[in-house]
Amino acid sequence: VLAMLFAKVLFLLSFLSLISLDKCTEDASSTSTVQTGDDRPPSQFKVGDEWLALPEVFSNLDFYADNTPANEDDVEGQLILRSTRFWGRIYIDGWPQTIQFFRAHFGIEPPIGRKIFVFAEPRDACSDLTNAANLTSEHVLLVNRGTCTFGSKAKVAHKTNASAIIIINNEPGIDHLPGPDAHDIQYSVSSIPQLEGQLLEATYDDGPVSVDGFGRRLEGFIVPVNCENSGARCLPATYRERRDIAGLVEGGTVHIVSEGSSLKASELPIEYLLAHFGTKVPHSSVDFNIAVAKPAEACGPLENNVRGKAVLVRRGSCPFVKKAEEVQAAGGRVMIVGSMNPYIVRMGVEPRWKGLNTFIPVVMVSKRAYSILVAESYSGSRLALKEEELAGNLTINSATWEPLEQLYKGEGWPRSDAYVKKRFDELMIQHSAWPDRVATLTEAYAKKTNVKASSTKSEL
């Protein structure tokens, strides 16, 4: 409260040009309507429940900067464009969806490249950080809003070796944060919404704690986004970052940890794909008892005890997010959806905000894998989820599975029968180590050849 009063008094006394704004829009652009010279209205910020205006001289953001995309070979042009973008998305490995950020009115653009996201200690960063000694340029600080000014937080963070600070809002929505007490700081300052920040904090605190004292490892990219004049295309400002985000972790494998399991080596690995909502899967060192949801499709309140367990749910009858709501309400720790087909997909939710209240991981396994896990649940087995290793060639993702799904649906095959068989043989060799992919290809090929045979017979 004192910080908010301080900010309000400072602006009212220092600048006669402050203007109250009637409302706030959720667009990532300025609400200004005049676009030339010094007549541009000031940028907005919030103090308590009141919207005030920040004089243009106190904002480093230029909402009217040229947004013409740079060519792929014009790296300097891409970086200039990137430096002028005032919003973007945070991409974190194994995180179901992107997190929108707004740059502050002060500071500079976010650092480029892969970073490790860690929480400040103390979490509000209103005093020198107790974990400062372990921070390097590879780290980005996550900080909770409140207690002191945004500028004060930025100055504390800037004293460390961390490359940026991201302030988590303490109410719904995000703002372009003002910082008149740190206006000239050469440091990246951004903000993200409250709910996404809380989910990150819960996952971070779940651990395991690293040797340097940080929580669960969260790696990813802070990517400024450029929207072309038409607004039809919004993409990362640099081609490098477009390539970076194409290599994020989207899935992994399910591991049975019980010694009494009857699972055969030929049935492994069991793949999963992460949904587009929920949270990051627990660390692979954490395992769970397995429960089959009752009712099996989890479209209503669960009748059995699933608290703290990995819950198997059959696909169908209601939206994925509805199933997650029921599993979460019953105390389930992870929801594993069994596909009705041999292939798997990344489950979605529309509109996006409906998935933000899901704070458990949600993954999909194949029909084959679902049957295996149901059997394991009856024998008292436990399971763990292991994300695909970043060091390897990532293949458990939508880029691998979407073409297989299309083949299963009869799409994407060559026209010639001879080439259909050739393509099938090539793919079987390529995916021979993956039982779910082999099953998908086998059924897809059988459907393709049977359809062809049936069609030929009907013409005779």
Side-chain angles (χ1 to χ4, degrees):
V1 174
L2 290 175
M4 290 191 295
L5 289 175
F6 170 78
K8 186 172 179 180
V9 169
L10 178 63
F11 277 94
L12 290 175
L13 292 178
S14 302
F15 310 106
L16 297 177
S17 57
L18 290 179
I19 304 170
S20 295
L21 299 179
D22 292 332
K23 66 175 184 177
C24 168
T25 67
E26 294 182 357
D27 193 358
S29 63
S30 171
T31 54
S32 304
T33 56
V34 182
Q35 301 186 15
T36 59
D38 294 331
D39 293 331
R40 291 180 295 177
S43 300
Q44 61 186 358
F45 71 99
K46 193 174 185 182
V47 175
D49 294 327
E50 186 176 0
W51 283 94
L52 301 176
L54 186 69
E56 198 69 33
V57 69
F58 270 85
S59 177
N60 290 342
L61 303 178
D62 183 357
F63 296 106
Y64 310 109
D66 184 10
N67 63 350
T68 304
N71 295 326
E72 186 169 3
D73 57 354
D74 182 8
V75 176
E76 183 181 359
Q78 295 171 39
L79 293 176
I80 292 173
L81 177 67
R82 185 184 190 274
S83 70
T84 64
R85 299 305 88 196
F86 43 84
W87 76 283
R89 300 186 180 102
I90 298 173
Y91 295 80
I92 295 178
D93 273 312
W95 200 260
Q97 53 192 334
T98 61
I99 300 172
Q100 188 180 46
F101 73 86
F102 279 7
R103 277 183 56 185
H105 283 295
F106 64 108
I108 60 175
E109 71 272 15
I112 195 168
R114 179 176 288 274
K115 298 297 176 183
I116 303 169
F117 298 84
V118 299
F119 274 82
E121 301 295 347
R123 295 287 165 98
D124 61 8
C126 288
S127 58
D128 288 345
L129 304 188
T130 58
N131 57 352
N134 294 326
L135 294 170
T136 72
S137 61
E138 296 302 309
H139 293 105
V140 168
L141 279 170
L142 296 169
V143 171
N144 291 328
R145 180 176 179 175
T147 311
C148 62
T149 67
F150 306 124
S152 296
K153 296 174 188 290
K155 289 177 180 177
V156 168
H158 195 209
K159 288 193 294 183
T160 74
N161 291 320
S163 58
I165 181 175
I166 297 175
I167 298 173
I168 300 169
N169 206 357
N170 56 5
E171 61 183 13
I174 47 175
D175 308 326
H176 296 290
L177 305 176
D181 51 341
H183 177 68
D184 295 324
I185 193 170
Q186 294 297 297
Y187 196 64
S188 173
V189 185
S190 304
S191 66
I192 62 173
Q194 178 184 38
L195 193 52
E196 284 94 329
Q198 290 174 338
L199 291 175
L200 284 174
E201 188 168 16
T203 300
Y204 180 85
D205 288 340
D206 266 352
V209 176
S210 63
V211 293
D212 48 12
F214 298 120
R216 177 78 184 275
R217 193 174 181 90
L218 302 172
E219 286 190 50
F221 306 89
I222 311 174
V223 182
V225 170
N226 180 56
C227 295
E228 296 181 30
N229 289 327
S230 65
R233 290 208 316 162
C234 292
L235 297 171
T238 69
Y239 282 83
R240 169 185 169 175
E241 288 169 310
R242 295 180 197 182
R243 292 189 292 269
D244 285 340
I245 63 176
L248 294 169
V249 172
E250 296 180 3
T253 51
V254 181
H255 294 257
I256 301 299
V257 296
S258 173
E259 294 181 358
S261 172
S262 59
L263 200 57
K264 300 175 182 177
S266 60
E267 296 175 306
L268 301 173
I270 296 173
E271 297 178 71
Y272 74 81
L273 281 180
L274 193 66
H276 283 289
F277 63 98
T279 63
K280 189 178 178 74
V281 299
H283 191 268
S284 58
S285 62
V286 182
D287 56 71
F288 304 92
N289 286 320
I290 310 170
V292 180
K294 295 182 182 179
E297 292 174 341
C299 292
L302 301 194
E303 300 167 3
N304 55 325
N305 179 19
V306 301
R307 185 166 297 280
K309 301 177 182 178
V311 185
L312 302 176
V313 175
R314 196 165 60 202
R315 182 176 183 175
S317 299
C318 63
F320 299 120
V321 71
K322 170 63 175 173
K323 299 175 186 290
E325 289 170 356
E326 296 297 347
V327 170
Q328 181 172 288
R333 184 65 179 82
V334 179
M335 184 173 87
I336 301 175
V337 176
S339 175
M340 295 185 291
N341 297 298
Y343 60 83
I344 53 178
V345 300
R346 292 198 67 189
M347 298 167 282
V349 56
E350 291 293 341
R352 178 182 182 275
W353 59 264
K354 282 190 174 181
L356 293 178
N357 289 319
T358 302
F359 49 82
I360 60 172
V362 179
V363 304
M364 177 178 282
V365 297
S366 69
K367 177 175 65 176
R368 177 194 75 91
Y370 177 76
S371 298
I372 291 172
L373 295 177
V374 168
E376 291 295 329
S377 73
Y378 294 140
S379 63
S381 295
R382 297 171 67 86
L383 66 76
L385 300 173
K386 184 177 182 180
E387 289 182 329
E388 193 170 15
E389 295 287 346
L390 274 172
N393 181 26
L394 300 181
T395 67
I396 309 176
N397 51 35
S398 53
T400 293
W401 275 103
E402 285 174 2
L404 296 177
E405 177 189 357
Q406 293 305 309
L407 291 174
Y408 182 84
K409 294 177 178 179
E411 303 169 9
W413 288 103
R415 291 187 177 183
S416 166
D417 290 349
Y419 282 103
V420 166
K421 179 65 165 64
K422 183 175 183 292
R423 181 63 175 150
F424 170 69
D425 290 340
E426 291 172 346
L427 289 171
M428 287 291 282
I429 293 172
Q430 178 184 342
H431 298 293
S432 60
W434 303 90
D436 290 319
R437 302 179 199 181
V438 169
T440 301
L441 285 166
T442 302
E443 290 191 36
Y445 181 68
K447 288 174 65 177
K448 176 67 176 176
T449 53
N450 286 340
V451 167
K452 185 73 175 179
S454 300
S455 174
T456 302
K457 289 179 181 179
S458 67
E459 293 172 0
L460 297 176

